[in-house]
């Protein structure tokens, strides 16, 4: 599969790069960002953390705002940030910010017109890692993290594929999308009105019924304006207690939903992942 380099910036001894490629899974051109730490400069394969961003974001938000490259360079970890949805003139969209472009929810849509392009689950789990590992000095040892909608994506993908990831973390994840406005709107459009089909993409349900466990770390700001209506971290805590899942969920007074929150704790998360990626 051909990839085209769009931009390159040296930072902390490594390289932040953007690439575009044709996605067979999504049936459109896609863009992703990658940070290659200095340890990869001689072709040595390094592990990776995949970062899934939230509503309205692209590959750029995390890479430009989180400050993660400094710690990733120290730890010898690559960071891969895909886009949040398919994009293009012929890709289905909606005027609202929480459906369509920038709001793929990391599921495989089964309903028209979304099912022609919106297969972000397969893209993140299968197509993109295969492309990354074939094109860069990246090993198959990987962890996954994300924010808000991307936190939902990271948790559900890891919970459904525990043998593919070493660890999972999330910031302000949509923990129970089958019971919140964002999730109900997106799932009804992408997956249809049969709510039993939604449960396979709900982190709380997946954690409650989990048989295989991954180290899991979640950060939540108590001043997050979406906390009660959309995020519902208490459902994730209850699910972990029910199954004995090793979840560490930390609440922080005064922090909101912004990248100021992510930047404050991203170092802890990268060090958390590094401890499992090295072994």
């Amino acid at each position: 599969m051909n990839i085209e380099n769009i931009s390159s910036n040296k930072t902390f001894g490594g390289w932040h790069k953007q690439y575009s490629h044709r996605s067979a899974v999504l049936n459109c051109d896609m863009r992703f960002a990658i940070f290659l730490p200095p340890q990869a400069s001689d072709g040595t394969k390094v592990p990776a953390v995949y970062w899934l961003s939230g509503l309205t974001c692209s590959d750029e938000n995390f890479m430009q705002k989180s400050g993660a490259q400094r710690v990733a360079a120290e730890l010898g970890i690559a960071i891969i940030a895909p886009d949040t949805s398919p994009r293009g003139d012929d890709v289905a969209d909606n005027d609202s910010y929480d459906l369509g472009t920038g709001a793929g929810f990391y599921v495989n849509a089964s309903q028209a017109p979304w099912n022609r392009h919106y297969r972000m689950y397969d893209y993140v789990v299968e197509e993109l890692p295969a492309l990354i590992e074939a094109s860069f000095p990246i090993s198959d040892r990987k962890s996954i993290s994300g924010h808000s909608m991307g936190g939902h994506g990271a948790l559900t993908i890891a919970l459904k594929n525990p043998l593919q990831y070493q660890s999972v973390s999330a910031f302000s994840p949509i923990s129970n999308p089958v019971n919140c406005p964002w999730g109900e709107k997106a799932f009804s459009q992408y997956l249809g009105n049969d709510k039993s089909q939604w449960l396979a993409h709900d982190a709380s349900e997946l954690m409650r019924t989990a048989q295989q466990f991954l180290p899991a770390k979640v950060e939540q700001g108590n001043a997050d304006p979406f906390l009660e209506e959309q995020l519902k971290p208490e459902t994730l805590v209850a699910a972990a207690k029910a199954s004995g899942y090793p979840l560490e969920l930390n609440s922080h007074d005064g922090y909101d939903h912004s990248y100021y929150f992510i930047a404050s704790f991203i170092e802890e998360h990268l060090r958390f992942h590094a401890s499992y990626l090295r072994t």
Side-chain angles (χ1 to χ4, degrees):
M1 188 183 298
N2 293 326
I3 62 174
E4 179 184 355
N5 182 231
I6 300 170
S7 67
S8 298
N9 301 95
K10 191 165 187 178
T11 180
F12 295 105
W15 288 92
H16 167 267
K17 299 185 178 187
Q18 286 179 306
Y19 288 88
S20 66
H21 72 102
R22 184 70 182 180
S23 169
V25 167
L26 302 177
N27 193 29
C28 67
D29 292 334
M30 288 294 287
R31 189 176 73 186
F32 66 86
I34 182 169
F35 172 71
L36 292 167
Q39 293 86 343
S41 61
D42 63 356
T44 299
K45 290 189 175 183
V46 297
V49 171
Y50 284 74
W51 174 270
L52 307 184
S53 289
L55 290 167
T56 75
C57 293
S58 69
D59 64 291
E60 294 184 332
N61 299 72
F62 179 78
M63 292 301 208
Q64 294 181 3
K65 296 179 179 180
S66 70
Q69 292 92 339
R70 175 184 63 81
V71 181
E74 174 196 331
L75 297 172
I77 294 174
I79 300 174
I80 294 101
D83 205 343
T84 53
S85 76
R87 298 178 192 264
D89 293 339
D90 63 339
V91 173
D93 198 6
N94 187 275
D95 290 337
S96 57
Y97 77 95
D98 52 358
L99 185 68
T101 299
F105 268 83
Y106 306 101
V107 301
N108 288 339
S110 59
Q111 305 299 301
W114 311 104
N115 56 352
R116 184 166 180 262
H117 296 284
Y118 284 75
R119 300 186 63 82
M120 289 297 294
Y121 177 88
D122 281 353
Y123 178 70
V124 171
V125 173
E126 298 175 3
E127 187 179 35
L128 184 59
L131 174 63
I132 294 294
E133 291 165 25
S135 305
F136 302 97
I138 305 295
S139 75
D140 61 359
R141 292 185 67 80
K142 55 186 176 288
S143 296
I144 191 166
S145 186
H147 172 234
S148 195
M149 177 187 73
H152 140 78
L155 289 169
T156 56
I157 285 171
L159 287 163
K160 290 167 71 68
N161 300 277
L163 299 181
Q164 292 192 35
Y165 301 93
Q166 307 304 313
S167 52
V168 59
S169 74
F171 290 78
S172 314
I174 305 172
S175 298
N176 190 207
V178 302
N179 289 312
C180 79
W182 279 338
E184 290 170 348
K185 180 177 182 178
F187 286 7
S188 63
Q189 289 289 315
Y190 297 150
L191 304 175
N193 292 322
D194 181 358
K195 292 189 175 183
S196 67
Q197 300 299 311
W198 301 4
L199 298 177
H201 301 283
D202 185 286
S204 294
E205 178 65 19
L206 290 169
M207 190 168 285
R208 185 182 66 81
T209 58
Q211 299 294 312
Q212 294 176 296
F213 298 160
L214 280 175
K217 183 179 179 72
V218 172
E219 309 297 325
Q220 178 62 61
N222 289 341
D224 193 318
F226 305 112
L227 180 61
E228 294 184 7
E229 183 180 31
Q230 304 283 12
L231 305 181
K232 303 182 182 296
E234 67 279 1
T235 65
L236 203 61
V237 172
K241 288 181 178 178
S243 64
Y245 205 96
L247 171 68
E248 175 190 345
L249 193 150
N250 304 305
S251 297
H252 302 277
D253 291 340
Y255 286 91
D256 57 20
H257 201 70
S258 71
Y259 266 82
Y260 294 108
F261 175 48
I262 296 170
S264 298
F265 298 98
I266 190 61
E267 178 171 351
E268 293 182 15
H269 279 239
L270 289 177
R271 294 191 185 281
F272 164 78
H273 290 302
S275 67
Y276 297 101
L277 288 167
R278 289 170 178 157
T279 57

